[in-house]
Amino acid sequence: NTHLSTCVYQVEPTMLPLIIFQGATTALKHGLSPSSSPTFAGLGMLFCGPLCKPQHAHKMAKAAELILAKSGTRSSVAHTIFLTHTYCHHWISPIQDSIAPLLEGYQVGLEIGDTDRACFCLVVRSYRLYFMGQPLASIQNELEATVQVMTQLKQDSARLRILILLTTVKRLRGGLDAEAGADDKIMDSMLATAADTHNTLSAFVNLMKLEVLVLFQEWEEAIDVVQKAGNVRLLLPSSFNSVRYTFLEALTYLKTAQSSASGSKKRQMEKCGQKTIQIIRGWVKNGNVNV
């Protein structure tokens, strides 16, 4: 049940694989249903995350899309697109390829009343546009319109993630000192909210805080974010956001090592940096074209 898997992920993420495996077993035993396409897309998510088999993930994603096309049902379109293009395809395909499908997921989701998945398709699309290097002015205009839409639809979780990106874009457009204090307060408030609700919001905040600090070469503040954030890859498994964070994390470790006056700290930072680089090299070896 796709609704059950969503609820389980919010409450106890470690149980999600069990729900996905049960759904796949049921589909193979009793035949396909409208929930089969997101179930196989979920299998793809597991393959490219915890199991580190992106080629298998891509095949599961393609199977999910084929099931969706053959069934002719629209009830699972937004959910399937969200899963395949958020977690699976980016491991071996350029993130540019996901922009149009994610917009379709948003549009179809609104049409069929699946506003939760529709809005999260839009969230992923917005972050991909930023990571692709689109002009910040156009991104800001789109994000401001998106915030209004999500407010009207009462999609608070998705709206908060858009606000994180919008705050980042405004900070980058204004420079290091422009409204920096206000932006930091917004981010800190969101971190406090995430701590209270135990969701993945903190990972989004830490990713975008690190993004700004790395671009402005504020390495002392950047390493502080990295050390306090913990393992963001566990909070954002399989997603491109975790890939981006890992790249920024490696760069932060190495730059901190270069500027460190302490020999022991220098060695520690270099060790952490090399360990993180090994993760990235593993992704490249497996065919990732986005690192």
Side-chain angles (χ1 to χ4, degrees), residues 99 102-103 120-129 142:
I99 299 302
L102 287 167
L103 182 59
F120 271 101
C121 282
L122 200 56
V123 168
V124 177
R125 180 179 181 275
S126 298
Y127 275 84
R128 296 281 171 87
L129 287 172
E142 183 169 327

Side-chain angles (χ1 to χ4, degrees), residues 132-164:
M132 284 165 51
Q134 294 295 301
L136 293 180
S138 64
I139 293 177
Q140 181 174 337
N141 290 336
E142 183 169 327
L143 291 175
E144 288 172 344
T146 300
V147 168
Q148 294 180 9
V149 170
M150 291 184 176
T151 300
Q152 294 173 355
L153 294 173
K154 298 182 176 5
Q155 292 292 317
D156 292 339
S157 182
R159 183 179 62 85
L160 284 173
R161 284 156 177 77
I162 291 294
L163 283 173
I164 293 168

Side-chain angles (χ1 to χ4, degrees), residues 201-261:
L201 191 65
S202 62
F204 279 80
V205 173
N206 285 317
L207 165 62
M208 300 317 293
K209 286 184 72 172
L210 188 60
E211 179 87 15
V212 171
L213 293 170
V214 168
L215 289 173
F216 288 139
Q217 301 184 45
E218 296 289 320
W219 302 116
E220 290 186 11
E221 291 83 353
I223 195 63
D224 185 59
V225 169
V226 168
Q227 291 175 334
K228 290 180 179 178
N231 192 343
V232 169
R233 286 178 292 279
L234 293 178
L235 292 173
L236 299 174
S238 310
S239 71
F240 179 74
N241 286 18
S242 67
V243 175
R244 180 74 166 200
Y245 181 88
T246 303
F247 174 79
L248 297 173
E249 180 186 30
L251 186 58
T252 300
Y253 278 130
L254 296 178
K255 287 294 185 179
T256 303
Q258 287 179 3
S259 60
S260 178

